[in-house]
Amino acid sequence: MSKVSGYRSGQRGMGMLGFIVIIALVAFFATIVLKVGPRYLDFWTVRTIMEETAANPQQIQRGTRGQGIISAVDKRLNINSVYNRKGSDFVVKKIDGGKYLLSIDYEDRVHLFFNVDAVTIFSHQVEVTLSET
């Protein structure tokens, strides 16, 4: 004999409110990724440019060594379509002999929604060794 009861038995699916909450969370995190993600991609490109400049010092023009390093970085920024950074954002300090420290330290602010902004802070430095000839 089967037992018949007035209660619902079995599983019930997610309600409309639960579905809306899931959609809101997905939209929130997608907004953050789509707005902040390009900032990180630009920084990774800037970091790669700095490391390539340090690895290939023969491509740096002679003259004022610091300006030559910044000029080489600026050209690479232009080639790689990084338009929100300029050569003037970089700092070159002479360490000793033919060694220079190339560094960048900046923050980006991007509007997310309403009165909420995301601030990302980036910093990187490399040592560039130039020959004394």
Coordinates of all heavy atoms in Angstrom, one line a residue, residues 17-94:
L17 N 13.9 34.4 -6.7 CA 14.8 35.3 -5.9 C 16.2 34.7 -5.9 O 17.1 35.5 -6.1 CB 14.2 35.4 -4.5 CG 15.1 36.3 -3.6 CD1 15.1 37.7 -4.2 CD2 14.5 36.3 -2.2
G18 N 16.4 33.5 -5.8 CA 17.7 32.9 -5.8 C 18.4 33.1 -7.2 O 19.6 33.4 -7.3
F19 N 17.6 32.9 -8.2 CA 18.1 33.1 -9.6 C 18.5 34.5 -9.8 O 19.6 34.8 -10.4 CB 17.0 32.7 -10.6 CG 17.4 32.7 -12.0 CD1 18.3 31.7 -12.5 CD2 17.0 33.6 -12.9 CE1 18.8 31.7 -13.8 CE2 17.4 33.7 -14.2 CZ 18.3 32.7 -14.6
I20 N 17.8 35.5 -9.3 CA 18.1 36.9 -9.5 C 19.4 37.2 -8.7 O 20.2 38.0 -9.2 CB 16.9 37.8 -9.0 CG1 15.8 37.7 -10.0 CG2 17.4 39.3 -8.9 CD1 14.5 38.4 -9.6
V21 N 19.6 36.7 -7.5 CA 20.8 36.9 -6.7 C 22.0 36.3 -7.5 O 23.0 37.0 -7.6 CB 20.6 36.2 -5.3 CG1 22.0 36.2 -4.6 CG2 19.6 37.0 -4.5
I22 N 21.9 35.2 -8.1 CA 23.0 34.6 -8.8 C 23.3 35.4 -10.0 O 24.5 35.7 -10.3 CB 22.6 33.1 -9.3 CG1 22.4 32.2 -8.1 CG2 23.7 32.6 -10.3 CD1 23.7 32.0 -7.3
I23 N 22.3 35.9 -10.8 CA 22.6 36.8 -11.9 C 23.2 38.1 -11.5 O 24.2 38.6 -12.1 CB 21.3 37.1 -12.7 CG1 20.7 35.8 -13.3 CG2 21.4 38.2 -13.7 CD1 21.6 35.2 -14.3
A24 N 22.8 38.7 -10.3 CA 23.4 39.9 -9.8 C 24.9 39.7 -9.5 O 25.7 40.5 -9.7 CB 22.6 40.4 -8.6
L25 N 25.2 38.6 -8.8 CA 26.6 38.3 -8.5 C 27.5 38.1 -9.7 O 28.6 38.6 -9.8 CB 26.7 37.0 -7.6 CG 26.2 37.2 -6.1 CD1 26.2 35.9 -5.4 CD2 27.2 38.2 -5.4
V26 N 27.0 37.4 -10.7 CA 27.7 37.2 -11.9 C 27.9 38.5 -12.6 O 29.0 38.8 -13.1 CB 27.0 36.2 -12.9 CG1 27.6 36.2 -14.2 CG2 27.0 34.8 -12.3
A27 N 26.9 39.4 -12.7 CA 27.0 40.7 -13.3 C 28.1 41.6 -12.5 O 28.9 42.3 -13.1 CB 25.7 41.4 -13.4
F28 N 28.0 41.5 -11.2 CA 29.0 42.3 -10.4 C 30.4 41.9 -10.6 O 31.3 42.7 -10.9 CB 28.6 42.1 -8.9 CG 29.6 42.7 -7.9 CD1 29.6 44.0 -7.7 CD2 30.5 41.9 -7.3 CE1 30.5 44.6 -6.8 CE2 31.4 42.5 -6.4 CZ 31.4 43.8 -6.2
F29 N 30.7 40.6 -10.6 CA 32.1 40.2 -10.9 C 32.5 40.3 -12.3 O 33.7 40.6 -12.6 CB 32.3 38.7 -10.4 CG 32.3 38.6 -8.9 CD1 31.3 38.0 -8.2 CD2 33.4 39.1 -8.2 CE1 31.3 37.9 -6.8 CE2 33.4 39.1 -6.8 CZ 32.4 38.4 -6.1
A30 N 31.6 40.2 -13.2 CA 31.9 40.4 -14.6 C 32.3 41.9 -14.9 O 33.2 42.2 -15.6 CB 30.7 40.0 -15.5
T31 N 31.5 42.8 -14.2 CA 31.8 44.2 -14.3 C 33.2 44.5 -13.8 O 34.0 45.3 -14.4 CB 30.8 45.1 -13.5 OG1 29.5 44.8 -14.1 CG2 31.1 46.5 -13.6
I32 N 33.6 44.0 -12.7 CA 34.9 44.2 -12.1 C 36.0 43.6 -13.1 O 37.0 44.3 -13.3 CB 35.0 43.5 -10.7 CG1 34.2 44.3 -9.7 CG2 36.5 43.5 -10.2 CD1 34.1 43.7 -8.4
V33 N 35.8 42.4 -13.6 CA 36.8 41.9 -14.5 C 37.0 42.7 -15.8 O 38.1 42.9 -16.2 CB 36.5 40.4 -14.8 CG1 37.3 39.9 -15.9 CG2 36.6 39.5 -13.6
L34 N 35.8 43.1 -16.3 CA 35.9 43.9 -17.6 C 36.4 45.3 -17.4 O 37.0 45.8 -18.4 CB 34.5 43.9 -18.2 CG 34.0 42.6 -18.8 CD1 32.5 42.7 -19.2 CD2 34.9 42.1 -19.9
K35 N 36.3 45.9 -16.2 CA 36.8 47.2 -16.0 C 38.3 47.2 -15.5 O 39.1 48.1 -15.9 CB 35.9 48.0 -15.0 CG 34.5 48.2 -15.5 CD 34.3 49.6 -15.9 CE 32.9 49.8 -16.3 NZ 32.5 51.2 -16.2
V36 N 38.6 46.3 -14.6 CA 39.9 46.3 -14.0 C 40.9 45.4 -14.8 O 42.1 45.7 -14.9 CB 39.9 45.8 -12.6 CG1 41.2 45.7 -11.9 CG2 39.0 46.7 -11.8
G37 N 40.4 44.4 -15.5 CA 41.3 43.5 -16.3 C 42.2 44.2 -17.3 O 43.4 43.9 -17.3
P38 N 41.7 45.1 -18.1 CA 42.6 45.8 -19.0 C 43.8 46.6 -18.3 O 44.8 46.7 -18.9 CB 41.7 46.7 -19.8 CG 40.3 46.1 -19.7 CD 40.3 45.4 -18.4
R39 N 43.5 47.1 -17.1 CA 44.6 47.8 -16.4 C 45.7 46.8 -16.1 O 46.9 47.2 -16.2 CB 44.1 48.3 -15.1 CG 42.8 49.2 -15.2 CD 43.1 50.4 -16.1 NE 41.8 51.1 -16.3 CZ 41.7 52.3 -16.6 NH1 42.7 53.1 -16.7 NH2 40.5 52.9 -16.7
Y40 N 45.4 45.6 -15.7 CA 46.4 44.6 -15.4 C 47.1 44.2 -16.7 O 48.4 44.0 -16.7 CB 45.8 43.4 -14.7 CG 45.7 43.6 -13.2 CD1 44.5 44.0 -12.7 CD2 46.8 43.4 -12.4 CE1 44.4 44.2 -11.4 CE2 46.6 43.6 -11.0 CZ 45.4 44.0 -10.5 OH 45.3 44.2 -9.2
L41 N 46.4 44.0 -17.8 CA 47.0 43.7 -19.1 C 48.0 44.7 -19.5 O 49.1 44.4 -20.0 CB 46.0 43.5 -20.2 CG 45.1 42.2 -20.0 CD1 44.0 42.2 -21.1 CD2 45.9 41.0 -20.1
D42 N 47.7 46.0 -19.3 CA 48.6 47.1 -19.7 C 49.8 47.1 -18.8 O 50.9 47.3 -19.3 CB 47.9 48.5 -19.5 CG 47.0 48.8 -20.7 OD1 47.1 48.1 -21.7 OD2 46.3 49.8 -20.6
F43 N 49.7 46.8 -17.5 CA 50.8 46.7 -16.6 C 51.7 45.5 -17.0 O 53.0 45.7 -17.0 CB 50.4 46.6 -15.2 CG 51.6 46.3 -14.2 CD1 52.5 47.3 -14.0 CD2 51.7 45.1 -13.6 CE1 53.6 47.1 -13.2 CE2 52.8 44.8 -12.8 CZ 53.8 45.8 -12.6
W44 N 51.2 44.4 -17.4 CA 52.0 43.3 -17.8 C 52.8 43.6 -19.0 O 53.9 43.2 -19.2 CB 51.1 42.0 -18.0 CG 50.6 41.5 -16.7 CD1 51.2 41.6 -15.4 CD2 49.4 40.7 -16.5 NE1 50.4 41.0 -14.5 CE2 49.3 40.4 -15.1 CE3 48.4 40.3 -17.4 CZ2 48.2 39.7 -14.6 CZ3 47.4 39.6 -16.8 CH2 47.3 39.3 -15.5
T45 N 52.2 44.4 -19.9 CA 52.9 44.8 -21.1 C 54.0 45.8 -20.8 O 55.1 45.7 -21.3 CB 51.9 45.5 -22.1 OG1 50.8 44.6 -22.4 CG2 52.6 45.9 -23.4
V46 N 53.7 46.7 -19.9 CA 54.7 47.7 -19.4 C 55.9 46.9 -18.8 O 57.1 47.2 -19.0 CB 54.1 48.7 -18.5 CG1 55.2 49.5 -17.7 CG2 53.2 49.7 -19.2
R47 N 55.6 46.0 -17.9 CA 56.6 45.2 -17.2 C 57.5 44.4 -18.3 O 58.7 44.4 -18.2 CB 56.0 44.2 -16.3 CG 56.9 43.5 -15.4 CD 56.2 42.6 -14.4 NE 55.5 41.6 -15.2 CZ 54.7 40.7 -14.7 NH1 54.4 40.7 -13.4 NH2 54.1 39.8 -15.4
T48 N 56.8 43.8 -19.3 CA 57.6 43.1 -20.3 C 58.5 44.1 -21.1 O 59.6 43.7 -21.4 CB 56.6 42.4 -21.3 OG1 55.8 41.5 -20.5 CG2 57.3 41.6 -22.3
I49 N 58.0 45.3 -21.4 CA 58.8 46.3 -22.1 C 60.0 46.6 -21.3 O 61.1 46.7 -21.9 CB 57.9 47.5 -22.4 CG1 56.9 47.2 -23.5 CG2 58.8 48.7 -22.8 CD1 55.9 48.2 -23.8
M50 N 59.8 46.8 -20.0 CA 61.0 47.2 -19.2 C 62.0 46.1 -19.1 O 63.2 46.3 -19.2 CB 60.5 47.5 -17.7 CG 59.7 48.8 -17.6 SD 58.9 49.0 -16.0 CE 60.4 49.3 -15.0
E51 N 61.6 44.8 -19.0 CA 62.5 43.7 -19.0 C 63.2 43.5 -20.3 O 64.4 43.1 -20.4 CB 61.7 42.4 -18.5 CG 61.3 42.5 -17.1 CD 60.4 41.4 -16.6 OE1 60.0 40.6 -17.4 OE2 60.0 41.5 -15.4
E52 N 62.5 43.7 -21.4 CA 63.1 43.6 -22.7 C 64.1 44.7 -23.0 O 65.2 44.5 -23.6 CB 62.1 43.6 -23.9 CG 61.2 42.4 -23.9 CD 60.1 42.5 -25.0 OE1 59.9 43.6 -25.6 OE2 59.5 41.4 -25.2
T53 N 63.8 45.9 -22.5 CA 64.8 47.0 -22.6 C 66.1 46.7 -21.8 O 67.2 46.9 -22.3 CB 64.2 48.3 -22.1 OG1 63.0 48.6 -22.8 CG2 65.1 49.5 -22.2
A54 N 65.9 46.1 -20.6 CA 67.1 45.7 -19.8 C 67.8 44.6 -20.4 O 69.1 44.5 -20.3 CB 66.6 45.3 -18.4
A55 N 67.2 43.7 -21.1 CA 67.8 42.5 -21.8 C 68.5 42.9 -23.0 O 69.5 42.2 -23.5 CB 66.8 41.4 -22.0
N56 N 68.1 44.0 -23.7 CA 68.7 44.4 -25.0 C 69.2 45.8 -24.9 O 68.7 46.7 -25.6 CB 67.7 44.3 -26.1 CG 67.2 42.9 -26.3 OD1 67.9 42.0 -26.3 ND2 65.8 42.8 -26.4
P57 N 70.3 46.1 -24.1 CA 70.8 47.5 -23.9 C 71.4 48.0 -25.2 O 71.6 49.2 -25.3 CB 71.7 47.4 -22.8 CG 72.2 45.9 -22.8 CD 71.0 45.2 -23.3
Q58 N 71.8 47.1 -26.1 CA 72.4 47.6 -27.4 C 71.5 48.4 -28.2 O 71.9 49.2 -29.1 CB 73.1 46.5 -28.2 CG 72.1 45.5 -28.8 CD 71.6 44.4 -27.8 OE1 71.9 44.4 -26.6 NE2 70.9 43.4 -28.3
Q59 N 70.2 48.3 -28.0 CA 69.2 49.1 -28.8 C 69.0 50.5 -28.2 O 68.3 51.3 -28.8 CB 67.9 48.4 -28.8 CG 68.0 47.0 -29.5 CD 66.7 46.3 -29.5 OE1 65.7 46.6 -28.8 NE2 66.6 45.2 -30.3
I60 N 69.6 50.8 -27.1 CA 69.5 52.1 -26.5 C 70.4 53.1 -27.2 O 71.6 52.8 -27.3 CB 69.7 52.1 -25.0 CG1 68.7 51.2 -24.3 CG2 69.7 53.5 -24.4 CD1 69.0 50.8 -22.9
Q61 N 69.9 54.3 -27.6 CA 70.7 55.2 -28.3 C 71.7 55.9 -27.4 O 71.4 56.0 -26.2 CB 69.8 56.3 -28.9 CG 68.9 55.8 -30.0 CD 67.9 56.9 -30.4 OE1 67.9 58.0 -29.9 NE2 67.2 56.6 -31.5
R62 N 72.8 56.3 -27.9 CA 73.8 56.9 -27.1 C 73.5 58.4 -26.8 O 72.5 58.9 -27.4 CB 75.2 56.9 -27.9 CG 75.6 55.5 -28.2 CD 75.9 54.7 -26.9 NE 76.3 53.4 -27.1 CZ 75.8 52.4 -26.4 NH1 75.0 52.6 -25.4 NH2 76.1 51.1 -26.6
G63 N 74.2 59.0 -26.0 CA 73.9 60.4 -25.6 C 73.7 60.3 -24.1 O 74.4 59.7 -23.4
T64 N 72.7 61.1 -23.7 CA 72.4 61.0 -22.3 C 71.8 59.7 -22.0 O 70.7 59.3 -22.5 CB 71.3 62.1 -21.9 OG1 71.8 63.4 -22.4 CG2 71.1 62.2 -20.5
R65 N 72.4 58.9 -21.1 CA 72.0 57.5 -20.9 C 70.6 57.4 -20.4 O 69.8 56.6 -20.9 CB 73.0 56.9 -19.9 CG 74.4 56.8 -20.4 CD 74.5 56.1 -21.7 NE 75.9 56.0 -22.1 CZ 76.6 54.9 -22.1 NH1 76.2 53.8 -21.7 NH2 77.9 55.0 -22.5
G66 N 70.2 58.2 -19.4 CA 68.9 58.1 -18.9 C 67.8 58.4 -19.9 O 66.8 57.8 -20.0
Q67 N 68.1 59.5 -20.7 CA 67.1 59.8 -21.8 C 67.1 58.8 -22.8 O 66.0 58.5 -23.4 CB 67.5 61.2 -22.4 CG 67.2 62.4 -21.5 CD 65.7 62.4 -21.1 OE1 64.8 62.1 -21.9 NE2 65.5 62.8 -19.9
G68 N 68.2 58.1 -23.1 CA 68.2 57.0 -24.1 C 67.4 55.8 -23.7 O 66.7 55.2 -24.5
I69 N 67.4 55.5 -22.4 CA 66.6 54.4 -21.8 C 65.2 54.8 -21.9 O 64.3 54.0 -22.4 CB 67.0 54.1 -20.4 CG1 68.5 53.6 -20.3 CG2 66.1 53.1 -19.7 CD1 69.0 53.5 -18.9
I70 N 64.8 56.0 -21.5 CA 63.4 56.4 -21.6 C 62.9 56.5 -23.0 O 61.8 56.1 -23.3 CB 63.2 57.8 -20.9 CG1 63.4 57.6 -19.4 CG2 61.9 58.4 -21.2 CD1 63.3 58.8 -18.5
S71 N 63.7 56.9 -23.9 CA 63.4 57.0 -25.3 C 63.1 55.5 -25.9 O 62.1 55.3 -26.6 CB 64.5 57.6 -26.1 OG 64.2 57.6 -27.5
A72 N 63.9 54.6 -25.5 CA 63.7 53.2 -25.9 C 62.4 52.6 -25.4 O 61.7 51.9 -26.1 CB 64.9 52.3 -25.5
V73 N 62.1 52.9 -24.1 CA 60.9 52.4 -23.5 C 59.7 53.1 -24.2 O 58.7 52.4 -24.5 CB 60.9 52.7 -22.0 CG1 59.5 52.5 -21.4 CG2 61.9 51.8 -21.3
D74 N 59.8 54.4 -24.4 CA 58.7 55.1 -25.0 C 58.4 54.6 -26.4 O 57.2 54.4 -26.8 CB 59.1 56.6 -25.1 CG 57.8 57.5 -25.2 OD1 56.7 57.0 -24.9 OD2 58.0 58.7 -25.6
K75 N 59.4 54.2 -27.2 CA 59.2 53.6 -28.5 C 58.5 52.3 -28.4 O 57.5 52.0 -29.2 CB 60.5 53.5 -29.3 CG 61.1 54.7 -29.8 CD 62.4 54.5 -30.5 CE 63.1 55.8 -30.8 NZ 64.4 55.6 -31.4
R76 N 58.9 51.5 -27.5 CA 58.2 50.2 -27.3 C 56.8 50.3 -26.8 O 55.9 49.5 -27.1 CB 59.0 49.3 -26.3 CG 60.3 48.8 -26.9 CD 61.1 48.0 -25.8 NE 62.4 47.7 -26.3 CZ 62.8 46.4 -26.6 NH1 62.0 45.4 -26.3 NH2 64.0 46.2 -27.0
L77 N 56.5 51.3 -25.9 CA 55.2 51.6 -25.5 C 54.3 51.9 -26.7 O 53.1 51.4 -26.8 CB 55.1 52.7 -24.5 CG 55.6 52.5 -23.1 CD1 55.7 53.7 -22.3 CD2 54.8 51.4 -22.4
N78 N 54.8 52.7 -27.6 CA 54.0 53.1 -28.8 C 53.8 51.9 -29.7 O 52.7 51.7 -30.2 CB 54.8 54.2 -29.5 CG 53.9 54.9 -30.6 OD1 52.7 54.8 -30.6 ND2 54.5 55.5 -31.5
I79 N 54.8 51.1 -29.9 CA 54.7 49.9 -30.7 C 53.7 48.9 -30.2 O 52.9 48.3 -30.9 CB 56.0 49.2 -30.9 CG1 57.0 50.1 -31.8 CG2 55.9 47.8 -31.5 CD1 58.4 49.6 -31.8
N80 N 53.6 48.8 -28.8 CA 52.7 47.8 -28.2 C 51.4 48.4 -27.9 O 50.6 47.8 -27.1 CB 53.3 47.3 -26.9 CG 54.4 46.3 -27.2 OD1 54.2 45.3 -27.8 ND2 55.7 46.7 -26.9
S81 N 51.1 49.6 -28.4 CA 49.8 50.3 -28.2 C 49.4 50.5 -26.7 O 48.2 50.3 -26.3 CB 48.7 49.5 -28.9 OG 49.0 49.4 -30.3
V82 N 50.4 50.9 -25.9 CA 50.1 51.3 -24.5 C 50.0 52.8 -24.5 O 51.0 53.5 -24.4 CB 51.1 50.7 -23.5 CG1 50.8 51.1 -22.1 CG2 51.2 49.2 -23.7
Y83 N 48.8 53.3 -24.5 CA 48.6 54.8 -24.7 C 48.4 55.5 -23.4 O 48.5 56.7 -23.3 CB 47.5 55.1 -25.6 CG 47.7 54.5 -27.0 CD1 46.9 53.6 -27.6 CD2 48.8 55.0 -27.8 CE1 47.2 53.0 -28.8 CE2 49.1 54.5 -29.0 CZ 48.2 53.5 -29.6 OH 48.5 53.0 -30.8
N84 N 48.1 54.8 -22.3 CA 47.9 55.5 -21.0 C 49.2 55.6 -20.2 O 49.1 56.1 -19.1 CB 46.8 54.7 -20.2 CG 47.2 53.3 -19.9 OD1 48.1 52.8 -20.4 ND2 46.4 52.7 -19.1
R85 N 50.3 55.2 -20.7 CA 51.6 55.4 -20.1 C 52.5 56.1 -21.1 O 52.5 55.9 -22.3 CB 52.3 54.1 -19.7 CG 51.6 53.3 -18.6 CD 51.7 54.0 -17.3 NE 50.3 54.1 -16.7 CZ 49.8 55.1 -16.1 NH1 50.6 56.2 -15.8 NH2 48.6 55.1 -15.7
K86 N 53.4 57.0 -20.5 CA 54.4 57.7 -21.4 C 55.8 57.5 -20.8 O 55.9 57.0 -19.7 CB 54.1 59.2 -21.3 CG 52.7 59.6 -21.7 CD 52.4 61.1 -21.7 CE 52.6 61.6 -20.3 NZ 51.4 61.7 -19.5
G87 N 56.7 57.8 -21.6 CA 58.1 57.7 -21.2 C 58.4 58.6 -19.9 O 59.2 58.2 -19.1
S88 N 57.7 59.7 -19.8 CA 57.9 60.5 -18.6 C 57.4 59.9 -17.3 O 57.7 60.4 -16.2 CB 57.2 61.9 -18.9 OG 55.8 61.7 -19.1
D89 N 56.6 58.8 -17.4 CA 56.1 58.2 -16.2 C 57.2 57.3 -15.6 O 57.1 56.9 -14.4 CB 54.9 57.3 -16.5 CG 53.7 58.1 -17.0 OD1 53.6 59.3 -16.6 OD2 52.9 57.5 -17.7
F90 N 58.3 57.0 -16.3 CA 59.4 56.2 -15.8 C 60.5 57.0 -15.2 O 60.7 58.2 -15.5 CB 60.0 55.4 -17.0 CG 59.0 54.4 -17.6 CD1 58.1 54.8 -18.6 CD2 59.0 53.1 -17.2 CE1 57.2 53.9 -19.1 CE2 58.2 52.2 -17.7 CZ 57.2 52.6 -18.6
V91 N 61.2 56.4 -14.2 CA 62.3 57.1 -13.5 C 63.5 56.3 -13.8 O 63.5 55.1 -13.6 CB 62.0 57.2 -12.0 CG1 63.2 57.8 -11.3 CG2 60.7 58.0 -11.8
V92 N 64.6 57.0 -14.2 CA 65.9 56.3 -14.4 C 66.9 56.9 -13.4 O 67.1 58.1 -13.3 CB 66.4 56.5 -15.8 CG1 67.8 55.9 -16.0 CG2 65.4 55.9 -16.8
K93 N 67.5 56.1 -12.6 CA 68.5 56.5 -11.6 C 69.8 55.8 -11.9 O 69.8 54.5 -12.1 CB 68.1 56.2 -10.2 CG 66.9 56.9 -9.7 CD 66.5 56.6 -8.3 CE 65.3 57.3 -7.9 NZ 64.9 56.9 -6.5
K94 N 70.9 56.5 -11.9 CA 72.2 55.9 -12.1 C 72.6 55.2 -10.8 O 72.6 55.8 -9.7 CB 73.2 56.9 -12.5 CG 74.5 56.3 -12.9 CD 75.4 57.3 -13.6 CE 76.7 56.6 -14.0 NZ 77.5 57.3 -14.8

